[in-house]
Structures are given as C-alpha cells and as structure tokens.
Amino acid sequence: MKKKDLILAGAVLLLAGILALALRLPKTENGNTIKVTVDGEVYGTYSLAENQTVKIQTGHGTNVLVIENGSVHMEEADCPDGYCKRQGTISRVNETIVCLPHKLVAEVESDGSTTDDADDAPDVIVK
Ligand SMILES: [Zn+2]
C-alpha cells in the first residue's frame, strides 16, 4: 500500500465518522440528563429536571456547568481559549459542549423515561 492510499483510506474513514455524527444530530428529542466526561471517563451524570450548578474540578482545570430550566450552558471555565463558554445552551439529546483544553465533554442524554418517540425511525444505540 502506498502512502497516498493510506491517506485516502484515512480520509474516507474520517468522512464516514463525520457522516455518522451528522446523522445523529437532527434528532430533536429533549434530553433529561447531562453526562460529563473528562479524559474519556464519566465524571458524573446530572438531571436536567433540577436547576443546579455543577462544578467540575480536574487536573486540567475548573469548569462550571449551569443547569437551568432543562438547558445546560458553561458558565465558567479557566481554560485558555474559553471556547466552551461560547458554545451556548444545549438541551436536546446528543448535543454537546466540549472543552478541549480540559478534555471535557458534556453531552445531553435521555434516560429513556420518555416514551413519546416510540414511532421514531430506527436508531442505533451505542452503549
Ligand atoms: Zn473551555
């Protein structure tokens, strides 16, 4: 295999990944929990039904997530780019706020207690 072929294979894989992600996005179901992951490990899961402030302190730094009326936003962060604070408010399943410098991902999930989307198109759930 030539180097060019490897690059091509990589590009195809990357595209497939982006496509898979994009296909998940149009889902507009409201979530009811927010899962916080740091360094690929689950830091905690918090209910969106409860207004609360979640302080996430790790070796990378500090982030403050605020849960308000079923939506989540990054209130404070001491990361150098501050990009996570500009990602706005999330409330729908699969929406995320990412803080790259802190390797932190906050993702909205549904714990399955809502049953009104039973007739939805088939969806692959990866756990
Ligand atoms: Zn950040």
Side-chain angles (χ1 to χ4, degrees), residues 68-123:
E68 212 172 26
N69 304 323
S71 301
V72 186
H73 68 274
M74 189 69 76
E75 178 76 22
E76 272 182 65
D78 61 2
C79 55
D81 62 5
Y83 182 60
C84 50
K85 287 186 281 185
R86 298 202 297 268
Q87 290 180 25
T89 304
I90 58 171
S91 60
R92 302 200 187 276
V93 171
N94 291 335
E95 282 187 320
T96 55
I97 295 176
V98 179
C99 182
L100 271 182
H102 292 173
K103 297 181 180 174
L104 182 149
V105 179
E107 181 176 11
V108 176
E109 292 191 328
S110 170
D111 65 8
S113 65
T114 49
T115 51
D116 55 348
D117 64 330
D119 57 353
D120 236 325
D123 199 4

Side-chain angles (χ1 to χ4, degrees), residues 1-14:
M1 217 182 201
K2 285 180 190 143
K3 201 177 173 185
K4 221 165 88 183
D5 294 329
L6 275 173
I7 291 166
L8 190 72
V12 168
L13 274 175
L14 195 71

Side-chain angles (χ1 to χ4, degrees), residues 14 62 125:
L14 195 71
T62 305
I125 297 161

